[in-house]
């Protein structure tokens, strides 16, 4: 009888353990069904994102949505287009639209927010299928953007402070961009030294980066700011170089300046050139954003530019286009989406010259933002390739 009770107890114990393991397995399977990029990307969603949905059958998912069976027209409106970051961003937008068989018109407002708002009005009048915004500010764009949404024209903004229902706003997570660069600077200086900061207000990403800079100064009180300047113009890098040359003359001795924090790669370019020409390469440059031209400068022997934090600008453009196409298709998209930035240090790069397309070999996770991808996109690309 005791033996029977023991066997019964063991059977019940085995059944309970099996049930728990089965539950854990089901939970693990449910977790693994989520896209891998969710661990690397940040999305604040107002609704379920249909590209992550696993409920429809594969045949239904692969079918091209009705609104995309004919080529669509997209207006890409930029606050300004300066430097190689902007050019690579534009290249990413054009590449993705071309793969989907659409048309895109690029508008450059030359840093004139009134002109940018008028371009949105123009796009509405032309009845485009979607509008992409690059930078800009809500106080200038909210009115025309709301008008576009009311007319049923999807809007996806990049590095913008818009908060309009139905508009997806993506960014590079400017807080992380600034912190990763500044933390590296602080570690390299061992928590003390004199720095020059190059920054300009009036741009949403710059304002966000400055929030972190203010926190950085409190965190590292022995790192002193000896100068601060910045101008966004049609020749930002050249203007920065001239301004940095003046700073170097004001602080001519070794040890007067230990590092430069540049909140934009155009600033970093100008500062780097000024430092090189003055023979002051003991001063190290820490930047934000990256392009092929920047990589060449960073990899140059004895370059003062030693680190930058960035996302792939071309991938930013591609992601923005994919969100726009999902909106045209009637799929739900996030209200806010942040791409994960990556720290790129010269010491992590090989001796040979590399390009942006090579960075994934040396910087884990670079350019791998498998986001805003719907199964029908492959079908659409295949259809375009047949033509």
């Amino acid at each position: 009888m005791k033996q029977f009770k023991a066997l019964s107890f063991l059977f019940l114990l085995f059944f309970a353990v099996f049930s728990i393991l089965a539950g854990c397995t089901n939970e693990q399977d449910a977790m693994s069904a989520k896209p891998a990029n969710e661990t690397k990307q940040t999305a604040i969603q107002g609704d379920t994102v249909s590209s992550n949905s696993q409920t429809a059958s594969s045949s239904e998912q692969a079918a091209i949505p009705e609104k995309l069976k004919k080529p669509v027209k997209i207006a890409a409106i930029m606050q300004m287009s300066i430097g190689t970051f902007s050019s690579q961003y534009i290249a990413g937008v054009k590449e993705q639209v071309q793969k989907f068989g659409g048309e895109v018109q690029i508008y450059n407002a030359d840093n004139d927010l009134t002109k940018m708002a008028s371009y949105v009005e123009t796009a509405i009048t032309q009845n485009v299928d979607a509008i992409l915004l690059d930078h800009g500010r809500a106080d200038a764009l909210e009115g025309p953007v709301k008008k576009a949404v009311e007319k049923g024209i999807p809007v996806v903004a990049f590095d913008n402070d818009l908060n309009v229902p139905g508009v997806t706003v993506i960014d590079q997570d400017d807080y992380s961009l600034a912190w990763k660069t500044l933390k590296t600077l602080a570690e390299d200086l061992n928590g003390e030294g004199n720095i020059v900061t190059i920054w300009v207000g009036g741009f949403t990403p710059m304002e966000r980066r400055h929030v972190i800079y203010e926190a950085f100064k409190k965190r590292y009180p022995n790192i002193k700011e000896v100068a601060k300047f910045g101008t966004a113009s049609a020749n930002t890098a050249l203007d920065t170089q001239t301004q940095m040359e003046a700073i170097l003359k004001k602080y001519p001795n070794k040890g007067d300046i230990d590092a430069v924090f540049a909140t934009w790669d155009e600033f970093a370019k100008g500062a780097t050139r000024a430092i090189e020409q003055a023979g002051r390469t003991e001063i190290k440059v820490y930047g934000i954003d990256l392009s092929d031209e920047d990589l060449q400068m960073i990899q140059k022997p004895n370059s003062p530019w030693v680190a930058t934090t960035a996302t792939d600008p071309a991938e930013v453009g591609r992601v923005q286009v994919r969100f726009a196409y999902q909106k045209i298709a009637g799929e739900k998209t996030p209200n806010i989406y942040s791409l994960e930035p990556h720290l790129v240090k010269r010491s992590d790069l090989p001796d040979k010259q590399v390009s942006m397309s090579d960075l994934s070999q040396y910087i884990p996770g670079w350019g791998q933002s498998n986001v805003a991808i719907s199964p029908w996109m492959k079908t659409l690309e295949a259809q375009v390739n047949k033509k």
Side-chain angles (χ1 to χ4, degrees):
M1 188 68 178
K2 289 181 179 180
Q3 184 178 10
F4 176 76
K5 288 182 178 179
L7 288 173
S8 298
F9 173 76
L10 287 173
F11 176 77
L12 290 171
L13 178 63
F14 173 78
F15 181 77
V17 171
F18 178 79
S19 299
I20 292 170
L21 289 174
C24 291
T25 302
N26 290 337
E27 182 178 355
Q28 186 178 27
D29 289 343
M31 291 295 291
S32 64
K34 295 182 180 180
N37 62 284
E38 285 190 359
T39 62
K40 297 181 180 180
Q41 311 292 335
T42 303
I44 303 175
Q45 299 178 343
D47 219 325
T48 304
V49 183
S50 57
S51 62
N52 293 340
S53 174
Q54 303 293 326
T55 57
S57 69
S58 58
S59 60
E60 290 175 334
Q61 287 178 327
I64 299 173
E66 190 65 33
K67 291 184 179 180
L68 296 174
K69 289 184 177 179
K70 61 179 182 179
V72 302
K73 293 182 179 180
I74 293 178
I77 303 169
M78 307 177 69
Q79 180 177 345
M80 60 181 181
S81 179
I82 298 175
T84 47
F85 184 95
S86 292
S87 63
Q88 289 184 218
Y89 160 79
I90 293 171
V93 168
K94 289 182 175 179
E95 175 194 333
Q96 191 65 78
V97 173
Q98 185 178 14
K99 282 186 176 181
F100 290 158
E103 299 177 21
V104 59
Q105 176 69 47
I106 307 294
Y107 297 87
N108 179 12
D110 296 315
N111 204 20
D112 184 336
L113 290 174
T114 301
K115 185 187 292 186
M116 191 175 183
S118 71
Y119 281 148
V120 177
E121 295 280 4
T122 299
I124 295 170
T125 302
Q126 293 177 343
N127 200 31
V128 297
D129 296 290
I131 296 173
L132 308 180
L133 299 176
D134 172 33
H135 289 74
R137 297 180 68 87
D139 52 10
L141 301 176
E142 186 172 337
V145 166
K146 283 184 175 179
K147 188 184 296 185
V149 173
E150 289 169 1
K151 195 175 178 181
I153 300 175
V155 178
V156 183
F158 165 51
D159 267 355
N160 192 295
D161 59 342
L162 279 166
N163 184 18
V164 176
V167 174
T168 291
V169 180
I170 68 174
D171 60 51
Q172 306 177 83
D173 192 353
D174 291 285
Y175 303 110
S176 292
L177 281 169
W179 180 245
K180 287 182 179 183
T181 291
L182 285 166
K183 184 171 181 288
T184 303
L185 181 155
E187 290 172 347
D188 289 352
L189 293 185
N190 198 27
E192 59 181 329
N194 298 324
I195 69 170
V196 172
T197 298
I198 312 178
W199 172 84
V200 66
F203 300 87
T204 299
M206 291 292 187
E207 301 288 352
R208 291 169 177 165
R209 294 167 193 181
H210 198 260
V211 169
I212 297 302
Y213 177 64
E214 290 297 324
F216 164 82
K217 289 194 294 184
K218 294 178 181 179
R219 172 65 178 83
Y220 297 98
N222 293 326
I223 295 179
K224 307 296 184 181
E225 177 191 285
V226 298
K228 187 177 185 179
F229 68 92
T231 304
S233 67
N235 298 294
T236 298
L238 184 59
D239 291 344
T240 302
Q241 182 177 341
T242 301
Q243 292 169 305
M244 189 67 203
E245 287 169 353
I247 295 294
L248 293 173
K249 290 177 181 177
K250 186 177 179 180
Y251 298 94
N253 302 314
K254 187 174 182 179
D256 288 345
I257 302 171
D258 296 295
V260 173
F261 170 51
T263 56
W264 181 20
D265 62 336
E266 291 301 301
F267 291 152
K269 289 175 191 175
T272 296
R273 289 167 183 154
I275 291 168
E276 287 176 333
Q277 290 187 13
R280 299 283 299 278
T281 53
E282 80 279 0
I283 301 172
K284 303 307 177 187
V285 177
Y286 298 80
I288 292 176
D289 294 335
L290 190 61
S291 69
D292 282 326
E293 182 183 2
D294 301 342
L295 271 176
Q296 291 178 4
M297 295 182 71
I298 291 171
Q299 287 195 276
K300 185 178 178 181
N302 300 316
S303 172
W305 192 350
V306 295
T308 194
T309 305
T311 59
D312 182 349
E315 181 63 8
V316 171
R318 290 189 288 264
V319 167
Q320 193 174 8
V321 170
R322 294 199 296 266
F323 272 131
Y325 267 74
Q326 287 183 330
K327 283 180 172 294
I328 295 170
E331 298 183 3
K332 298 292 185 180
T333 61
N335 296 330
I336 301 173
Y337 192 89
S338 294
L339 286 89
E340 180 72 18
H342 299 279
L343 176 68
V344 179
K345 299 170 69 174
R346 190 176 66 204
S347 58
D348 293 332
L349 301 176
D351 293 333
K352 66 177 182 179
Q353 187 65 55
V354 298
S355 66
M356 299 282 279
S357 60
D358 302 320
L359 276 185
S360 60
Q361 301 175 40
Y362 311 100
I363 309 299
W366 178 265
Q368 298 173 3
S369 60
N370 298 318
V371 62
I373 296 177
S374 298
W376 51 261
M377 290 180 178
K378 287 187 177 181
T379 309
L380 182 58
E381 288 185 17
Q383 178 179 281
V384 172
N385 289 334
K386 289 180 181 179
K387 295 180 179 179

